[in-house]
Amino acid sequence: MLRLSKLTDYAVVVLTRLEEGEGVQAAPDLAAATGIAEPTVAKVLKILAHAGLVEGLRGARGGYRLTRPIAEMPLTEVITAIDGPIALTACVDSAVGHCEAEDLCPVRGRWDPVNRAIRDALSGITIADLAPPRAAPVAPPARPAAPLAATA
Amino acid sequence: MLRLSKLTDYAVVVLTRLEEGEGVQAAPDLAAATGIAEPTVAKVLKILAHAGLVEGLRGARGGYRLTRPIAEMPLTEVITAIDGPIALTACVDSAVGHCEAEDLCPVRGRWDPVNRAIRDALSGITIADLAPPRAAPVAPPARPAAPLAATA
DNA sequence: GCAATCCGGACCGGAAAGGTCCGGATTAGC
DNA sequence: GCTAATCCGGACCTTTCCGGTCCGGATTGC
């Protein structure tokens, strides 16, 4: 299904909400605003903070804040932060020695053109492109609600 | 991790082997040639047959055969056949009514530009592009063994 | 009629993701 | 200086899904 984790979805929601709000926002507030369970929001924020996409301010009156506008935040960074590096199959990463049928396997390392293609496709999309109700002036415009994933 | 199932990987291997061999090939033979467990190969072949990518011939001296050369077989068809339609998150498919926070969720259906971008990127790649040791005269040439998936 | 092969499904185990919780560190306000 | 609010880091458990196996039935060639 080519699925990416639900956490990534949450991350986009949270980041969007973070942009809409003003100043620092505490995790519980973001949870209430987005409708996502509080511990989960906290988890997402921790990951994003680790990746440098948001900044956490401790202490009373603390909270989270974006390090830059979401329009300058490529989607790939969020995905990489949460789901790890973009690579389609296990056979593809740096490992070169533990495929039991290594000499027979004809696809050895041949997935990288695919990975590259996906990375290229994703690199042009920012979080702002996924935040519709506001200004979304970007490359792939129009088609607000296409029929949706069919045969692909 | 944007991972796609291991079955898809196997499928590419099997399809490649199917192109290399001649005439119909039985599942056990393909298993031996590829190094993949026999029941698994059978499973993959069944799925591919269902999708019309290969043709199964019953009876003694039966086996499987490609319905067309792998150079004319887009990768997306294989992925769709095995992993289902290409859609990144559950929130994206035709469902419109069971996101508990539907009115709050600002990303509703906004993943489709991403899905579309990925589909476009993948639509230019055929199975033949993933079968290196033979003739692979296609668009993304060169770079036989790039460093590999890093930050994405 | 017999053997080989595909076909369709059910079945089970293991791994990964999703989600929750807790103790500690840090800071603002009183 | 003390208290309360908040982030930080991790461990933990549950559930779902994937990978893999197996079996009975249908079909065809010899």
Side-chain angles (χ1 to χ4, degrees):
Chain A
M1 203 222 298
L2 245 191
R3 76 160 203 218
L4 64 85
S5 80
K6 208 181 278 185
L7 272 298
T8 305
D9 197 352
Y10 293 160
V12 173
V13 177
V14 170
L15 287 171
T16 303
R17 172 64 201 170
L18 224 33
E19 169 108 336
E20 289 177 358
E22 44 192 29
V24 298
Q25 301 177 61
D29 297 346
L30 288 169
T34 56
I36 306 172
E38 188 175 321
T40 304
V41 171
K43 185 175 191 171
V44 170
L45 285 169
K46 276 186 283 190
I47 299 175
L48 293 177
H50 222 261
L53 296 178
V54 302
E55 184 185 8
L57 306 180
R58 287 198 184 186
R61 300 270 313 156
Y64 287 94
R65 168 172 62 189
L66 292 173
T67 57
R68 53 188 145 148
I70 60 175
E72 302 172 9
M73 207 175 274
L75 176 60
T76 52
E77 285 195 25
V78 179
I79 295 177
T80 302
I82 296 185
D83 291 343
I86 295 182
L88 289 182
T89 58
C91 218
V92 176
D93 56 14
S94 42
V96 193
H98 34 355
C99 185
E100 69 277 355
E102 191 164 339
D103 10 318
L104 294 168
C105 180
V107 250
R108 284 209 45 63
R110 265 290 152 173
W111 281 100
D112 16 332
V114 181
N115 291 330
R116 188 157 38 242
I118 290 185
R119 275 203 294 276
D120 290 350
L122 258 47
S123 62
I125 301 180
T126 73
I127 307 300
D129 299 341
L130 300 179
R134 312 221 124 204
V138 210
R143 312 284 302 277
L148 246 308
T151 56
Chain B
M1 199 221 299
L2 245 192
R3 78 164 205 215
L4 64 84
S5 78
K6 207 184 279 186
L7 272 298
T8 305
D9 197 354
Y10 293 160
V12 173
V13 177
V14 170
L15 287 171
T16 303
R17 172 63 201 169
L18 224 31
E19 169 109 336
E20 289 177 358
E22 44 193 28
V24 299
Q25 301 176 62
D29 296 346
L30 288 169
T34 57
I36 306 172
E38 189 174 322
T40 303
V41 171
K43 184 176 193 171
V44 170
L45 286 169
K46 276 187 283 190
I47 299 174
L48 293 177
H50 221 261
L53 296 178
V54 303
E55 185 185 9
L57 307 179
R58 289 197 183 187
R61 299 273 311 156
Y64 287 94
R65 167 172 60 187
L66 291 173
T67 57
R68 54 189 143 146
I70 60 176
E72 302 172 10
M73 208 174 273
L75 177 59
T76 53
E77 286 196 24
V78 179
I79 295 177
T80 301
I82 296 185
D83 290 344
I86 296 183
L88 289 182
T89 59
C91 218
V92 178
D93 56 15
S94 42
V96 193
H98 32 358
C99 186
E100 69 278 353
E102 191 164 338
D103 8 321
L104 294 167
C105 179
V107 250
R108 281 210 47 62
R110 265 290 150 175
W111 281 100
D112 15 333
V114 181
N115 292 330
R116 188 158 37 244
I118 290 185
R119 276 203 293 277
D120 290 350
L122 258 47
S123 63
I125 302 180
T126 72
I127 307 300
D129 298 341
L130 300 178
R134 313 220 121 206
V138 210
R143 314 281 304 275
L148 246 309
T151 57

